[in-house]
């Protein structure tokens, strides 16, 4: 999969441009990012760099993590991909969650490259919105600095 619109080459302030360029090959070769988040035993949602990187790189994603992860992101102003696939996995048991995410992957794999590129273009407003929200959210400043240091 090759993005043709430049969103994944998007140079951001606060040092993100270099991080994008150094790790972008991972995201340029895949359409969908599956974040396998750390599950915690107590109540609540735990989102890590595994999900934030997908947002930063402008990649569609699914989260295999705590129930309610997508709702948590939405509460922070992010948009997800319920117009494109079934996101009820976010409330399912671990096994059913993995089965539903697997079905999402299978459905994408059944598409032609042309159809995947069209799907990506249809998702572009969500991807750009999420990057904008991330940049405006000071909570991510430490992550951005850490990504810059790791790849510096």
């Amino acid at each position: 999969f090759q993005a043709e619109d430049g969103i994944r080459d998007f140079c951001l302030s606060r040092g993100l441009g270099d991080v994008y360029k150094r790790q972008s090959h991972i995201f340029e070769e895949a359409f969908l990012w599956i974040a396998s988040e750390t599950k915690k035993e107590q109540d609540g949602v735990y989102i890590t760099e595994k999900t934030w990187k997908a947002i930063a790189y402008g990649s569609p994603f699914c989260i295999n993590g705590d129930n309610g992860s997508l709702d948590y992101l939405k509460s922070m102003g992010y948009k997800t991909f319920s117009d494109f696939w079934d996101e009820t996995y976010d409330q399912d048991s671990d096994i059913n969650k993995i089965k539903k995410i697997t079905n999402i992957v299978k459905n994408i794999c059944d598409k032609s490259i042309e159809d995947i590129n069209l799907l990506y273009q249809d998702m572009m407003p969500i991807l750009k919105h999420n990057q904008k929200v991330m940049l405006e959210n000071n909570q991510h400043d430490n992550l951005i600095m850490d990504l810059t240091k790791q790849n510096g």
Side-chain angles (χ1 to χ4, degrees):
F1 172 73
Q2 183 67 36
E4 298 176 6
D5 58 14
I7 189 172
R8 294 186 179 168
D9 296 327
F10 186 53
C11 290
L12 303 170
S13 62
R14 301 186 301 204
L16 269 183
D18 290 340
V19 174
Y20 283 108
K21 290 174 186 167
R22 280 193 287 275
Q23 293 185 346
S24 65
H25 67 279
I26 297 167
F27 289 88
E28 287 172 356
E29 295 179 15
F31 170 75
L32 178 68
W33 181 260
I34 300 172
S36 293
E37 285 290 2
T38 304
K39 298 271 293 179
K40 50 190 194 56
E41 295 179 21
Q42 62 272 27
D43 290 336
V45 173
Y46 188 61
I47 302 288
T48 69
E49 80 287 346
K50 297 167 193 160
T51 297
W52 298 127
K53 280 183 182 183
I55 293 170
Y57 285 106
S59 182
F61 59 86
C62 291
I63 301 174
N64 180 21
D66 294 316
N67 285 4
S69 293
L70 297 177
D71 288 337
Y72 175 73
L73 289 176
K74 290 175 190 176
S75 76
M76 295 178 65
Y78 293 95
K79 295 181 180 180
T80 61
F81 305 95
S82 60
D83 289 345
F84 302 98
W85 51 69
D86 178 12
E87 290 187 334
T88 60
Y89 71 83
D90 190 44
Q91 299 299 329
D92 272 326
S93 66
D94 291 343
I95 291 181
N96 287 333
K97 186 176 295 198
I98 291 168
K99 286 179 182 179
K100 286 185 177 180
I101 292 172
T102 299
N103 284 334
I104 292 168
V105 172
K106 284 180 182 179
N107 288 334
I108 292 169
C109 289
D110 287 342
K111 296 181 182 303
S112 68
I113 293 297
E114 293 80 18
D115 287 342
I116 291 172
N117 280 322
L118 289 172
L119 185 62
Y120 181 76
Q121 290 303 316
D122 289 344
M123 292 177 172
M124 189 59 55
I126 293 172
L127 301 173
K128 287 183 178 184
H129 169 85
N130 287 347
Q131 285 182 324
K132 183 176 185 268
V133 170
M134 175 177 257
L135 284 173
E136 292 171 353
N137 188 336
N138 292 336
Q139 170 187 340
H140 303 297
D141 287 348
N142 289 338
L143 171 67
I144 292 166
M145 289 183 347
D146 288 346
L147 289 173
T148 304
K149 287 178 189 174
Q150 288 173 9
N151 297 292

